[in-house]
Coordinates of all heavy atoms in Angstrom, one line a residue:
G10 N -16.1 -2.9 -14.5 CA -15.3 -1.7 -14.7 C -15.9 -0.5 -14.4 O -17.1 -0.4 -14.2
G11 N -15.2 0.6 -14.5 CA -15.7 2.0 -14.2 C -15.0 2.6 -13.0 O -14.4 1.9 -12.2
A12 N -15.2 3.9 -12.8 CA -14.5 4.7 -11.9 C -14.8 4.3 -10.5 O -13.9 4.5 -9.5 CB -14.8 6.3 -12.1
T13 N -15.9 3.8 -10.2 CA -16.5 3.4 -8.7 C -16.1 2.0 -8.5 O -16.6 1.4 -7.4 CB -17.8 3.8 -8.6 OG1 -18.7 3.1 -9.4 CG2 -18.0 5.3 -8.8
T14 N -15.5 1.2 -9.3 CA -15.2 -0.2 -9.1 C -13.7 -0.4 -8.8 O -12.9 0.5 -9.0 CB -15.5 -1.0 -10.3 OG1 -14.6 -0.8 -11.4 CG2 -17.0 -0.7 -10.8
S15 N -13.5 -1.7 -8.3 CA -11.9 -1.9 -8.0 C -11.7 -3.4 -8.2 O -12.7 -4.2 -8.1 CB -11.5 -1.5 -6.7 OG -12.2 -2.3 -5.6
R16 N -10.5 -3.8 -8.2 CA -10.2 -5.3 -8.5 C -10.6 -5.9 -7.1 O -11.2 -7.1 -7.1 CB -8.7 -5.3 -8.7 CG -8.3 -6.7 -9.2 CD -6.8 -6.9 -9.3 NE -6.2 -6.9 -8.0 CZ -4.8 -7.2 -7.8 NH1 -4.0 -7.2 -8.9 NH2 -4.3 -7.2 -6.6
R17 N -10.3 -5.2 -6.0 CA -10.5 -6.0 -4.7 C -11.9 -6.1 -4.4 O -12.4 -7.2 -4.0 CB -9.7 -5.3 -3.6 CG -9.9 -5.9 -2.2 CD -8.9 -5.3 -1.3 NE -7.6 -5.5 -1.6 CZ -6.6 -4.9 -1.0 NH1 -6.7 -4.2 0.0 NH2 -5.3 -5.1 -1.4
H18 N -12.7 -5.1 -4.7 CA -14.2 -5.1 -4.5 C -14.9 -6.2 -5.3 O -15.6 -7.1 -4.9 CB -14.8 -3.8 -4.8 CG -16.4 -3.8 -4.6 ND1 -17.2 -4.1 -5.7 CD2 -17.1 -3.5 -3.6 CE1 -18.5 -4.0 -5.2 NE2 -18.4 -3.7 -3.9
T19 N -14.4 -6.4 -6.6 CA -14.7 -7.4 -7.5 C -14.5 -8.7 -6.9 O -15.2 -9.7 -6.9 CB -14.1 -7.3 -8.9 OG1 -14.4 -6.0 -9.5 CG2 -14.7 -8.3 -9.8
A20 N -13.3 -9.0 -6.3 CA -12.9 -10.3 -5.7 C -13.7 -10.6 -4.5 O -14.1 -11.7 -4.3 CB -11.4 -10.1 -5.5
V21 N -13.8 -9.6 -3.7 CA -14.5 -9.8 -2.3 C -16.0 -9.9 -2.5 O -16.5 -11.0 -1.9 CB -14.0 -8.7 -1.4 CG1 -14.9 -8.9 -0.1 CG2 -12.6 -8.8 -1.2
K22 N -16.6 -9.1 -3.2 CA -18.1 -8.9 -3.2 C -18.8 -9.6 -4.3 O -19.9 -10.1 -4.1 CB -18.4 -7.5 -3.2 CG -18.1 -6.7 -1.8 CD -18.9 -7.3 -0.6 CE -18.6 -6.5 0.7 NZ -19.4 -6.9 1.7
I23 N -18.3 -9.5 -5.6 CA -18.9 -10.0 -6.8 C -18.6 -11.3 -7.2 O -19.5 -12.2 -7.3 CB -18.6 -9.0 -7.9 CG1 -19.0 -7.5 -7.5 CG2 -19.5 -9.3 -9.1 CD1 -18.8 -6.4 -8.5
A24 N -17.4 -11.6 -7.4 CA -16.9 -13.1 -7.8 C -17.6 -14.2 -7.0 O -18.0 -15.1 -7.6 CB -15.4 -13.0 -7.8
P25 N -17.5 -14.0 -5.7 CA -18.1 -15.2 -4.9 C -19.7 -15.4 -5.1 O -20.2 -16.5 -4.9 CB -17.8 -14.8 -3.4 CG -16.7 -13.9 -3.5 CD -16.9 -13.1 -4.8
A26 N -20.3 -14.4 -5.6 CA -21.7 -14.5 -5.8 C -22.2 -15.0 -7.2 O -23.4 -15.0 -7.5 CB -22.4 -13.0 -5.6
Y27 N -21.2 -15.2 -8.1 CA -21.5 -15.7 -9.5 C -20.6 -16.9 -9.7 O -19.3 -16.8 -9.5 CB -21.2 -14.6 -10.4 CG -21.6 -14.8 -11.8 CD1 -22.9 -15.2 -12.1 CD2 -20.7 -14.5 -12.8 CE1 -23.3 -15.5 -13.5 CE2 -21.1 -14.7 -14.2 CZ -22.4 -15.2 -14.6 OH -22.8 -15.3 -15.8
S28 N -21.2 -17.9 -10.4 CA -20.4 -19.2 -10.6 C -19.6 -19.1 -11.9 O -18.7 -20.0 -12.0 CB -21.5 -20.3 -10.7 OG -22.3 -20.2 -11.8
N29 N -19.7 -18.2 -12.5 CA -18.8 -18.1 -13.9 C -17.9 -17.1 -13.7 O -17.5 -16.6 -12.7 CB -19.8 -17.7 -15.0 CG -19.3 -18.4 -16.4 OD1 -18.3 -18.2 -16.8 ND2 -20.3 -19.2 -17.0
T30 N -17.1 -16.9 -14.8 CA -15.9 -16.0 -14.8 C -16.4 -14.5 -14.6 O -17.2 -14.1 -15.1 CB -15.2 -16.0 -16.2 OG1 -14.8 -17.4 -16.5 CG2 -14.0 -15.0 -16.2
V31 N -15.8 -13.9 -13.6 CA -15.9 -12.5 -13.1 C -14.4 -11.8 -13.2 O -13.7 -12.2 -12.5 CB -16.5 -12.4 -11.7 CG1 -16.6 -10.9 -11.4 CG2 -17.9 -13.1 -11.6
L32 N -14.3 -10.9 -13.9 CA -13.0 -10.2 -14.2 C -13.3 -8.7 -14.0 O -14.3 -8.1 -14.4 CB -12.5 -10.4 -15.6 CG -12.0 -11.9 -16.0 CD1 -11.8 -11.9 -17.6 CD2 -10.9 -12.2 -15.2
H33 N -12.3 -8.1 -13.4 CA -12.2 -6.6 -13.3 C -11.3 -6.1 -14.3 O -10.2 -6.4 -14.4 CB -11.7 -6.0 -11.8 CG -11.7 -4.6 -11.7 ND1 -10.6 -3.9 -11.8 CD2 -12.6 -3.7 -11.6 CE1 -10.8 -2.6 -11.8 NE2 -12.1 -2.5 -11.6
V34 N -11.8 -5.3 -15.2 CA -11.2 -4.6 -16.3 C -11.0 -3.1 -15.9 O -12.0 -2.4 -15.7 CB -11.9 -4.8 -17.6 CG1 -11.1 -4.3 -18.8 CG2 -12.3 -6.3 -17.9
L35 N -9.7 -2.8 -15.8 CA -9.4 -1.4 -15.3 C -10.1 -0.3 -16.1 O -10.6 0.6 -15.4 CB -7.8 -1.2 -15.3 CG -7.3 0.0 -14.7 CD1 -7.7 0.0 -13.1 CD2 -5.8 0.2 -14.7
D36 N -10.1 -0.3 -17.4 CA -10.9 0.7 -18.1 C -11.2 0.2 -19.6 O -10.8 -1.0 -19.9 CB -9.9 1.9 -18.3 CG -8.7 1.7 -19.2 OD1 -8.8 1.7 -20.4 OD2 -7.6 1.4 -18.5
A37 N -12.2 0.8 -20.2 CA -12.8 0.3 -21.4 C -11.8 0.0 -22.6 O -11.8 -0.8 -23.3 CB -13.9 1.3 -21.9
S38 N -10.6 0.8 -22.5 CA -9.7 0.6 -23.6 C -9.0 -0.8 -23.6 O -8.5 -1.3 -24.5 CB -8.6 1.6 -23.4 OG -7.8 1.4 -22.3
R39 N -9.1 -1.5 -22.5 CA -8.6 -2.8 -22.3 C -9.6 -3.9 -22.4 O -9.2 -5.1 -22.4 CB -7.8 -3.0 -21.0 CG -6.8 -1.9 -20.8 CD -6.0 -2.0 -19.4 NE -5.2 -0.9 -19.2 CZ -4.4 -0.8 -18.2 NH1 -4.1 -1.8 -17.3 NH2 -3.6 0.3 -18.0
A40 N -10.8 -3.6 -22.6 CA -11.8 -4.6 -22.6 C -11.8 -5.4 -23.9 O -12.1 -6.6 -23.9 CB -13.3 -3.9 -22.5
A41 N -11.5 -4.7 -25.0 CA -11.3 -5.6 -26.3 C -10.4 -6.7 -26.2 O -10.8 -7.8 -26.6 CB -10.9 -4.7 -27.4
R42 N -9.3 -6.6 -25.7 CA -8.3 -7.6 -25.5 C -8.9 -8.8 -24.6 O -8.7 -9.9 -24.9 CB -7.0 -7.2 -24.9 CG -5.9 -8.3 -24.7 CD -4.7 -7.7 -24.1 NE -4.9 -7.2 -22.8 CZ -5.1 -7.9 -21.7 NH1 -5.1 -9.1 -21.8 NH2 -5.3 -7.3 -20.6
V43 N -9.4 -8.5 -23.5 CA -10.0 -9.3 -22.6 C -11.0 -10.1 -23.2 O -11.1 -11.5 -23.1 CB -10.5 -8.7 -21.4 CG1 -11.3 -9.6 -20.3 CG2 -9.3 -7.9 -20.6

Side-chain angles (χ1 to χ4, degrees):
T13 60
T14 69
S15 71
R16 192 184 76 176
R17 186 169 296 172
H18 180 267
T19 300
V21 173
K22 292 292 186 180
I23 303 176
Y27 187 49
S28 60
N29 214 301
T30 301
V31 179
L32 293 170
H33 181 257
V34 183
L35 189 61
D36 64 83
S38 67
R39 304 184 187 186
R42 178 185 60 78
V43 174

